[in-house]
Amino acid sequence: MTTEEESIEEGEEFEFIDPNDILAELPDDGDMPMEEDEDGEERDDVGGLPSREESESMVGGFREHQGSVFAVSCHPTQPLAVSGGEDDLGYIWDITDGEIIVKLTGHTDSVTSTAFSHDGEMVATGGMDGKVRIWRRHGNENYRTWEFLTELQGPDEIMWLRWHPKGTVLLAGSNDSTAWLWQLPSGNTMQVFSGHTGPVQCGEFTPEGKRIVTTCADGHLMLWDPRSTAPVFKLGPGNTRFDLGGITSLAINPSSTLAVVGGGSGGIRVVSLSKGDIVGAPGGHTDGQSVEALSFAELTGVSGGAGLVVSGGTDGRAYIWDLNTMRARATLNHGEETITTVLSHPTPRSHLVTTGSADGTLKTWDARSGTLLSVHKGHEGPVFSASLGLEGSVVVSAGDDGSCYVFTIDQ
């Protein structure tokens, strides 16, 4: 295992990306502009995309992708987002006005994963072409100029990307049943985790950064020490209590003691990371309806103990689970379509949860009571991804309609 970052060799050339080179008007792609409604009512235009219905909470948008947008991630401190799409491109853009900061090229297939490092100094894109491409901020003056750093290869199609919560280490899950760990900025491979028998659909660092949890479509969960190629423990469908019909979502509690997984059959399992045992099986989602998203919520003076986790499923419902009792505190009825993403807001808005759906809307809820606070509209198709920015005061979404939108959270 590589334990020391390797410095960049002097004289190594980088691909500098100057905003002046890319802030040019895109050529006409042949799309016809949308006309006014039949009643003559003028429609708003946010981010260049006329929408059938827009919310007052919408404060910005981005419409440069030529096709579906599969991933979006917000910068940890700056008003920036990075998005990736069907057009094989990524963009870093300003969420205040939609301005392109950097066009991220080099992929030969859809960009399906994006992520800023914990300090916001680097950004990664992952694609269906198996490539992971890394850029880093150039200079210390601002965040307007980025340089291409390196391309990481090895996996097949990239399923997800996660940066270490405290360091410049990147983790990726692949369609070929492996997970990969790299050290940056050197780009050295630190570890390849093998043992899964299906696409590694989910993976996370534990919040304290000492362990890794991965899960696959064939229903296995593995806990890893990054220094070893052998798992600390493994759970799978051979254990009848853990047979979930494939694992589709994963979350780890803030104290790094519990992992929660959701399955294709609608089940949820709570796993002790210290013992490797199943310690709970809260049930509420419709049988046969996949649990697509999980997120831990931290409610001041409420969570305590094992904590609260929010699950969202293809049945259109989200549940807020108290893991001390394994019972639902509230049911959030988003609608009839799949809930694709669940976001738990940080302090001082830790009482809020936002869900995104295939019905094109996002909804913000009070996690203490399950009360619906606001509905965010603008997308003309499913919401595929969403991320919290500026300390949870905005939600940035990405959708099948080729657009990203920025919604403000007033509560």
Side-chain angles (χ1 to χ4, degrees), residues 74-307:
C74 289
H75 192 279
T77 60
Q78 302 299 309
L80 301 175
V82 56
S83 54
E86 187 181 12
D87 55 5
D88 308 348
L89 294 173
Y91 289 94
I92 299 176
W93 51 279
D94 191 322
I95 65 174
T96 65
D97 57 11
E99 177 189 359
I100 298 173
I101 305 302
V102 179
K103 183 177 181 180
L104 308 176
T105 61
H107 285 281
T108 57
D109 206 337
S110 297
V111 177
T112 54
S113 303
T114 59
F116 282 102
S117 60
H118 77 101
D119 59 2
E121 293 294 312
M122 287 187 279
V123 68
T125 58
M128 294 180 69
D129 54 7
K131 298 177 182 178
V132 176
R133 292 175 63 81
I134 310 294
W135 285 259
R136 67 178 173 185
R137 180 167 72 120
H138 176 61
N140 298 316
E141 184 177 350
N142 55 43
Y143 288 81
R144 311 295 289 185
T145 305
W146 296 70
E147 62 187 11
F148 175 70
L149 177 60
T150 188
E151 180 175 295
L152 309 174
Q153 294 183 329
D156 195 355
E157 176 183 336
I158 302 299
M159 309 292 288
W160 47 266
L161 296 171
R162 295 291 186 274
W163 286 96
H164 190 278
K166 300 176 183 179
T168 56
V169 173
L170 184 65
L171 177 68
S174 173
N175 191 52
D176 64 7
S177 77
T178 62
W180 291 65
L181 193 68
W182 296 279
Q183 173 77 58
L184 277 303
S186 67
N188 288 340
T189 301
M190 297 174 66
Q191 200 65 267
V192 179
F193 303 108
S194 303
H196 285 289
T197 55
V200 182
Q201 297 189 143
C202 310
E204 298 284 352
F205 286 101
T206 55
E208 32 85 304
K210 296 180 179 179
R211 294 287 188 269
I212 291 168
V213 179
T214 57
T215 67
C216 72
D218 285 355
H220 291 94
L221 175 149
M222 297 186 187
L223 176 69
W224 306 89
D225 182 328
R227 297 167 295 184
S228 173
T229 57
V232 177
F233 71 78
K234 175 180 179 179
L235 290 172
N239 180 334
T240 56
R241 290 189 62 209
F242 200 71
D243 189 356
L244 296 169
I247 296 175
T248 50
S249 52
L250 167 69
I252 301 174
N253 70 338
S255 60
S256 304
T257 59
L258 296 174
V260 180
V261 293
S265 62
I268 296 173
R269 296 294 183 268
V270 184
V271 178
S272 167
L273 294 180
S274 61
K275 300 178 181 178
D277 295 334
I278 301 167
V279 296
H285 286 284
T286 305
D287 286 345
Q289 297 290 316
S290 174
V291 178
E292 290 294 303
L294 289 164
S295 178
F296 271 88
E298 296 187 70
L299 300 186
T300 303
V302 177
S303 56

Side-chain angles (χ1 to χ4, degrees), residues 285-345:
H285 286 284
T286 305
D287 286 345
Q289 297 290 316
S290 174
V291 178
E292 290 294 303
L294 289 164
S295 178
F296 271 88
E298 296 187 70
L299 300 186
T300 303
V302 177
S303 56
L308 303 178
V309 70
V310 187
S311 63
T314 57
D315 55 7
R317 294 195 297 270
Y319 291 90
I320 301 175
W321 304 98
D322 186 336
L323 297 187
N324 297 298
T325 63
M326 298 297 166
R327 294 181 179 179
R329 286 176 54 91
T331 302
L332 315 178
N333 290 304
H334 191 115
E336 296 182 357
E337 299 293 328
T338 297
I339 291 178
T340 56
T341 184
V342 173
L343 303 172
S344 299
H345 292 247

Side-chain angles (χ1 to χ4, degrees), residues 32-53:
M32 296 297 293
M34 296 183 69
E35 299 180 353
E36 289 184 336
D37 294 336
E38 291 184 1
D39 58 8
E41 181 179 351
E42 187 176 342
R43 305 177 74 181
D44 293 335
D45 188 357
V46 178
L49 178 65
S51 173
R52 66 173 185 272
E53 188 174 4

